[in-house]
Amino acid sequence: MLFIVLVIGVFLIVFATTKFKLHPFLSLLMGTLFVGFASGMPLDQIVENINGGFGGLMTSIGLVIVFGTIIGTILEKAGAALRMAEVVLRIVGPKRPQLAMSMIGFIVSIPVFCDSGFVILSSLRKALARRAKVAVASMSVALATGLYATHTLVPPTPGPIAAAGNIGADGYLGTVILIGLITAIPAALAGYIWSMKVASKIEVEDDRSDLDYDYDEIVRSFGKMPSALQSFLPIVLPIVLIGASSVLTLFGTEGGIAAFFIFLGQPVIALLVGVISALTLLPKYDEETLTNWIGAALLDAAPILLITGAGGAFGTVIKNTGIADIIQSWDMGSIFSGSLFLLVPFLIAAGLKTAQGSSTASLVITSSLIAPILPTLGIEGAVPLALVVMAVGAGAMTVSHVNDSFFWVVTQFSGLQVTDAYKTQTMATLIQGVVTIITTMILWVILV
């Protein structure tokens, strides 16, 4: 009966989100309350678990999400994302424009939301397509899939951070970032190949247009952009600090300068250092930048925080219904062996993503559902938990279609017909998801 209650609870969340367009935050709370009541949990414990689950997750990753969002907003508004794009284009060269767009998306979407990244890079995409004489659709899919790969797999993007927090991997964020970057490369490569083989055969209005998209003129139109060092530093510095802290902790180094770097590598401190470095990108220091830009970032972070906190409450209620005890009594090893377990979070996340459209909500809900199962399977420690996050992220890629806002951003800014968008964007995200879960399972065999 507990499992029936849980299935109905998940169904209520998806149904409220898709049918009634209710915000995922309220949908998650409704599902949480239903599971609590229907499982026979005492009323005072329902309230206690909701408050504890929400607050507990905010304690560990709330500020990390806020700081990551602030960094992304500043990079976007200060022109740093465009500077990063321009640097990648110089390195890759004009003869491989789709590869350049994929790499640009891969880097930019680590701190910047993929929707925003596609919009701000859209004019560069068109100009480069015109200069290189390649199909606009192929450039669009290359950029979109590059953005998508790191958006669902690499912190400090909110979705992967929330998933890590739900399964208890927030203390291993350096490992999650490293594994995420490794796993995202085949995902981005799959999207790039699809853009070359399939999307390049699709013609859109911009391919027939006489409008002159001059690449150099468009770059100049953005005005003075920050230096390459300034642009990359807010992304690279936190990752380096978190990675250094993870290495020092792994080798048991304590005291002196090592203790200081371990402190700097705590995710909340590392992301705060990233925010401070991002402040050097501000064109001026006034109310517009220091108040309005930061305020815009906080507005972007608010729904992510609420969904994440509600997911934490959902997971805590599930854990305390007794389902975890029932699972613990099973011989789970006879059901799932080795990397096969990774298919469970992948399929759950893929079902949720396809049904309700939000990758972040899919990551939050799935990680909340599977968290009680992990200890029963002996899945603990940095690398195994990081790979579980990757499996959830792989499902959260699968697939982007008409109920996903990113699908419409790509469609409208590229001039793609919906049927062509299904052939290009939707199929590309399906292939990305499958490639990512295969990569994750291979990494499990090698590393675990």
Side-chain angles (χ1 to χ4, degrees):
M1 284 303 296
L2 282 177
F3 280 98
I4 293 173
V5 166
L6 182 57
V7 169
I8 295 174
V10 174
F11 174 77
L12 284 175
I13 293 169
V14 175
F15 186 75
T17 306
T18 56
K19 180 67 175 178
F20 296 108
K21 308 301 179 186
L22 189 64
H23 194 279
F25 168 66
L26 290 178
S27 300
L28 276 165
L29 284 183
M30 285 176 52
T32 302
L33 286 169
F34 172 81
V35 171
F37 284 125
S39 65
M41 184 179 292
L43 300 183
D44 58 336
Q45 285 188 26
I46 294 176
V47 175
E48 183 180 334
N49 287 327
I50 290 175
N51 288 334
F54 189 99
L57 205 53
M58 288 300 98
T59 298
S60 60
I61 63 170
L63 286 175
V64 174
I65 291 174
V66 170
F67 292 155
T69 308
I70 291 173
I71 291 171
T73 300
I74 292 176
L75 289 178
E76 175 189 335
K77 292 183 177 294
L82 294 166
R83 171 61 75 191
M84 289 188 285
E86 198 250 339
V87 169
V88 172
L89 287 170
R90 280 207 311 265
I91 294 172
V92 176
K95 293 183 179 179
R96 294 177 290 274
Q98 290 95 337
L99 179 61
M101 293 311 298
S102 181
M103 292 176 63
I104 288 166
F106 187 96
I107 295 168
V108 168
S109 197
I110 292 174
V112 178
F113 290 111
C114 57
D115 306 62
S116 300
F118 195 92
V119 172
I120 62 179
L121 294 169
S122 189
S123 57
L124 280 180
R125 171 186 55 81
K126 291 180 182 179
L128 192 59
R130 180 58 58 91
R131 187 172 75 170
K133 295 181 172 58
V134 298
V136 171
S138 69
M139 295 289 284
S140 300
V141 174
L143 175 59
T145 52
L147 289 162
Y148 206 50
T150 48
H151 175 76
T152 53
L153 297 173
V154 184
T157 307
I161 291 179
N166 276 333
I167 67 170
D170 47 295
Y172 308 118
L173 210 53
T175 305
V176 177
I177 291 172
L178 177 61
I179 297 291
L181 288 170
I182 294 170
T183 309
I185 291 171
L189 186 61
Y192 162 68
I193 293 172
W194 191 258
S195 74
M196 295 289 291
K197 299 297 183 182
V198 176
S200 59
K201 300 174 184 176
I202 304 293
E203 188 179 61
V204 299
E205 183 62 34
D206 283 335
D207 290 316
R208 301 184 293 270
S209 174
D210 293 329
L211 293 176
D212 185 22
Y213 290 101
D214 182 80
Y215 172 79
D216 296 321
E217 182 61 35
I218 285 177
V219 171
R220 284 193 297 271
S221 72
F222 288 110
K224 184 180 179 181
M225 290 185 286
S227 69
L229 178 61
Q230 281 182 299
S231 300
F232 281 98
L233 196 61
I235 304 175
V236 174
L237 188 56
I239 292 175
V240 169
L241 289 174
I242 293 171
S245 175
S246 299
V247 171
L248 290 171
T249 303
L250 179 65
F251 287 101
T253 309
E254 297 179 1
I257 191 70
F260 179 67
F261 277 103
I262 290 173
F263 165 76
L264 287 179
Q266 298 301 307
V268 66
I269 303 299
L271 268 294
L272 179 58
V273 171
V275 170
I276 293 170
S277 66
L279 292 177
T280 65
L281 295 166
L282 300 180
K284 53 186 177 179
Y285 297 94
D286 57 11
E287 184 179 2
E288 172 63 23
T289 57
L290 294 174
T291 300
N292 294 348
W293 287 16
I294 304 301
L298 296 179
L299 286 175
D300 287 339
I304 305 298
L305 289 170
L306 291 172
I307 292 171
T308 301
F314 186 47
T316 302
V317 168
I318 291 171
K319 185 169 63 176
N320 291 314
T321 56
I323 289 177
D325 296 330
I326 295 173
I327 294 172
Q328 199 163 6
S329 67
W330 295 353
D331 180 11
M332 295 294 287
S334 64
I335 303 173
F336 301 110
S337 59
S339 62
L340 281 179
F341 169 74
L342 297 175
L343 291 173
V344 176
F346 169 74
L347 292 172
I348 294 172
L352 288 168
K353 166 65 177 177
T354 304
Q356 50 79 43
S358 169
S359 293
T360 301
S362 176
L363 280 155
V364 170
I365 297 169
T366 304
S367 55
S368 300
L369 286 170
I370 65 167
I373 303 175
L374 302 181
T376 68
L377 293 174
I379 297 176
E380 55 187 14
V383 173
L385 290 177
L387 289 171
V388 171
V389 174
M390 296 305 106
V392 178
M397 288 180 174
T398 318
V399 293
S400 175
H401 63 103
V402 290
N403 61 4
D404 181 7
S405 62
F406 187 50
F407 175 89
W408 291 111
V409 167
V410 174
T411 301
Q412 297 304 310
F413 278 84
S414 303
L416 285 165
Q417 298 295 320
V418 173
T419 52
D420 289 333
Y422 271 118
K423 296 175 189 175
T424 53
Q425 174 68 5
T426 301
M427 286 302 299
T429 57
L430 172 61
I431 291 168
Q432 281 189 295
V434 172
V435 167
T436 301
I437 189 58
I438 292 172
T439 302
T440 303
M441 295 175 77
I442 291 171
L443 288 174
W444 182 282
V445 172
I446 296 171
L447 300 175
V448 177

